[in-house]
Amino acid sequence: SLRLYTNGSPTPSNTVALTQTIAGGDVLVVCNPSSVAAILGQCDLQSNAVANWNGDDAIELFCGSASVDVIGQLGVDPGVEWGTAPTSTLDQTLRRKCSVSVGDANGTNAFNPATEWTSLGTNVFTDLGVRSCSP
């Protein structure tokens, strides 16, 4: 499932069940139904319950009884964003660095997007839906 934690909440505000199997190295694109055509064209699952993220809420990928990956920090409201420009969670397209092969399953640890993510700028949809390496 995908879990959205809004405004620093330590418990999920919204949860969406995932029924798809995601193979190793594969990508599942979850989008808001109001997304632009470039995103909708690559979207595997539409949801306004968790795909309304504004850059200051945590999102967790959860499987069975275990956290698999978290962006943000559960129970923490960072204000406007995590990180600082150019690699922050505010109005940035972030891509996981190639050196990262396992998700951040500890959602309570401090979160700095520059550690595992590269910023591509704003509204960059190149290679959306493809696991590709960042420089």
Side-chain angles (χ1 to χ4, degrees), residues 19-29 44 61 68 101 129-131:
T19 57
Q20 300 88 335
T21 298
I22 306 169
D26 199 2
V27 176
L28 176 73
V29 177
D44 299 306
L61 177 62
V68 176
S101 59
V130 176
R131 171 73 169 135

Side-chain angles (χ1 to χ4, degrees), residues 25 27 95-98 120 126-134:
V27 176
R95 181 173 293 153
R96 203 66 161 284
K97 293 178 180 179
C98 288
L120 302 178
T126 307
D127 293 332
L128 179 63
V130 176
R131 171 73 169 135
S132 61
C133 291
S134 301

Side-chain angles (χ1 to χ4, degrees), residues 1-96:
S1 61
L2 279 178
R3 298 175 170 182
L4 175 68
Y5 296 76
T6 57
N7 302 323
S9 176
T11 57
S13 309
N14 288 309
T15 300
V16 171
L18 299 176
T19 57
Q20 300 88 335
T21 298
I22 306 169
D26 199 2
V27 176
L28 176 73
V29 177
V30 179
C31 69
N32 188 293
S34 300
S35 297
V36 297
I39 294 175
L40 290 174
Q42 297 300 317
C43 187
D44 299 306
L45 173 66
Q46 292 185 18
S47 169
N48 58 9
V50 295
N52 60 353
W53 191 61
N54 62 8
D56 71 348
D57 299 326
I59 298 177
E60 178 181 37
L61 177 62
F62 201 82
C63 184
S65 61
S67 180
V68 176
D69 198 8
V70 178
I71 185 167
Q73 185 177 1
L74 306 182
V76 172
D77 186 343
V80 178
E81 65 194 329
W82 274 285
T84 56
T87 310
S88 79
T89 56
L90 179 65
D91 297 332
Q92 294 295 306
T93 301
L94 298 176
R95 181 173 293 153
R96 203 66 161 284

